Amino acid sequence: MAKLYFYYSSMNAGKSTTLLQSDFNYRERGMDTMLWTAAVDDRYGQGRIVSRIGLEAPAHLFDSQTDMLAAISAQHDATSLSCVLVDEAQFLSEAQVWQLGGVCDRLNIPVLCYGIRTDFQGQLFPGSAALLGLADTLSEIKTICECGRKAIMNLRVDGQGRAIRQGDQTEIGGNDRYLALCRRHFVEQMQG
């Protein structure tokens, strides 16, 4: 039986790189995959999964209105899919996570989701919360804080590197806007 996987981490842990490597492994063996990424993330152009180390691939876009089960079912009917891979999974809705569970349960296709667990205030993203509750397998991808400890938090910073404490949950950015920190250094920055 196919499973729903959630690979989570803080920023800059290599989630997109890992996703692209998994996709390569399937394709190298002659298996078809379907890649997805959030329409809201346009840092590298629309419909692209891009890693910081230079790997990239085209991907389908999802937004809050996308019926993941219907779209994947239609593609599976046209080309038998061996795996579905979702980048920026924190931006999925709870309903979409249930739909991805349906891809596993009804279509027997494994779904590998990659995303950030919490936002810049330490709050769960809706997609991440649903995946933490519904995924068959949870795997943390680790990265390190500036002190060498495991980074589990995402600090949003302004142009001068100062912590931003308020704002919308979603603000797209990379190293220019976010730092991956351990909890201790995150709290120090947020209280400082």
Side-chain angles (χ1 to χ4, degrees), residues 31-150:
M31 299 176 186
D32 288 326
T33 61
M34 188 175 196
L35 277 61
W36 289 88
T37 193
V40 70
D41 186 356
D42 60 359
R43 288 176 289 169
Y44 307 107
Q46 290 286 309
R48 310 260 343 134
I49 296 174
V50 179
S51 72
R52 291 176 295 122
I53 65 170
L55 302 174
E56 62 181 89
H60 297 268
L61 294 173
F62 70 85
D63 61 24
S64 62
Q65 303 305 307
T66 304
D67 184 327
M68 302 295 285
L69 180 57
I72 294 165
S73 292
Q75 182 66 40
H76 186 56
D77 288 343
T79 307
S80 183
L81 294 171
S82 295
C83 187
V84 172
L85 300 102
V86 182
D87 201 23
E88 305 295 346
Q90 69 271 13
F91 297 128
L92 292 164
S93 69
E94 180 180 350
Q96 288 169 324
V97 172
W98 281 101
Q99 292 165 8
L100 292 172
V103 169
C104 300
D105 300 340
R106 292 190 222 163
L107 303 177
N108 200 32
I109 302 169
V111 178
L112 286 60
C113 296
Y114 297 80
I116 296 169
R117 186 176 55 162
T118 59
D119 67 14
F120 76 108
Q121 295 177 319
Q123 301 299 310
L124 289 171
F125 282 98
S128 300
L131 283 161
L132 287 168
L134 298 173
D136 297 292
T137 300
L138 303 172
S139 296
E140 183 178 24
I141 300 173
K142 296 175 179 74
T143 192
I144 58 169
C145 177
E146 58 196 21
C147 70
R149 291 188 187 117
K150 182 173 77 168

Side-chain angles (χ1 to χ4, degrees), residues 156-188:
R156 184 182 292 168
V157 295
D158 64 17
Q160 289 72 47
R162 294 180 302 237
I164 296 176
R165 293 168 184 83
Q166 300 294 320
D168 293 334
Q169 184 177 47
T170 300
E171 186 173 311
I172 302 301
N175 292 344
D176 59 325
R177 300 289 297 146
Y178 293 93
L179 298 174
L181 298 175
C182 67
R183 183 177 45 249
R184 177 179 148 211
H185 285 112
F186 174 83
V187 170
E188 286 175 4

